[in-house]
Amino acid sequence: DAKTTQPPSMDCAEGRAANLPCNHSTISGNEYVYWYRQIHSQGPQYIIHGLKNNETNEMASLIITEDRKSSTLILPHATLRDTAVYYCIVGSGGSNYKLTFGKGTLLTVNP
Amino acid sequence: GAVVSQHPSWVICKSGTSVKIECRSLDFQATTMFWYRQFPKQSLMLMATSNEGSKATYEQGVEKDKFLINHASLTLSTLTVTSAHPEDSSFYICSAIKQETQYFGPGTRLLVL
């Protein structure tokens, strides 16, 4: 699996947009970009994933650069409950793929 | 999304005893489930891939005789930590795949005294 690089920590004000970057310069053509988050002492929560196109769901938006070497997860209106470690992972998808977790980004949303 | 449950949510046991952790996919069938382990202040580490009806595949460095995995049905995988020792104390998390997306359980915290 391709490796990803994320900043170790970020801060965001409540109500503002949180933009979390991720570099994945060695991503292969058939690999997806997945985003998960882990709130303290809980299992990871799936957020969103994409291949080439930008994606949006009820939780977040995913912006993938045209060369697919980096992406940004956007939480449009961060709340205190969004404080968590956010993981950007690349993988080939399918029924047998494995997720390799890095250290992620600790996002702290401040009141 | 999809719902994956784990039982128990936490367990305390004496050294030398065995502990079984259950992972269930509640609203879908999963031929493949995964077991992860997470030590304090560290990231998740994949332990093994559990395949329904066949033997589990273990990651390098994970003792298959110590961490027994059984995936007897399409909705249930179990992880048994045999002869647990204090160094096995950790947060164990399972996941299952639905529509090519991996969904995680809430985790089981194991403390071995």
Side-chain angles (χ1 to χ4, degrees), chain A residues 19-96:
Chain A
N19 297 282
L20 292 93
C22 179
N23 287 322
H24 32 79
S25 59
T26 59
I27 190 171
S28 299
N30 64 343
E31 289 184 314
Y32 290 80
V33 179
Y34 294 88
W35 282 85
Y36 287 81
R37 71 181 182 184
Q38 187 177 26
I39 296 171
H40 184 60
S41 295
Q42 298 182 24
Q45 177 187 22
Y46 166 78
I47 301 173
I48 198 167
H49 74 282
L51 183 62
K52 295 181 179 179
N53 300 321
N54 298 337
E55 302 288 343
T56 296
N57 62 20
E58 64 278 5
M59 289 184 67
S61 295
L62 173 60
I63 308 298
I64 303 174
T65 58
E66 192 169 342
D67 63 7
R68 303 213 319 126
K69 293 184 177 182
S70 66
S71 61
T72 301
L73 179 74
I74 301 173
L75 306 179
H77 305 287
T79 69
L80 299 179
R81 288 177 296 180
D82 291 323
T83 293
V85 177
Y86 287 76
Y87 297 99
C88 167
I89 304 167
V90 294
S92 57
S95 61
N96 288 309

Side-chain angles (χ1 to χ4, degrees), chain B residues 44-65:
Chain B
L44 280 78
M45 293 295 295
L46 178 65
M47 298 176 67
T49 302
S50 172
N51 300 298
E52 188 269 337
S54 64
K55 291 183 178 180
T57 304
Y58 291 82
E59 296 298 300
Q60 191 172 10
V62 178
E63 301 175 56
K64 62 180 181 180
D65 294 331

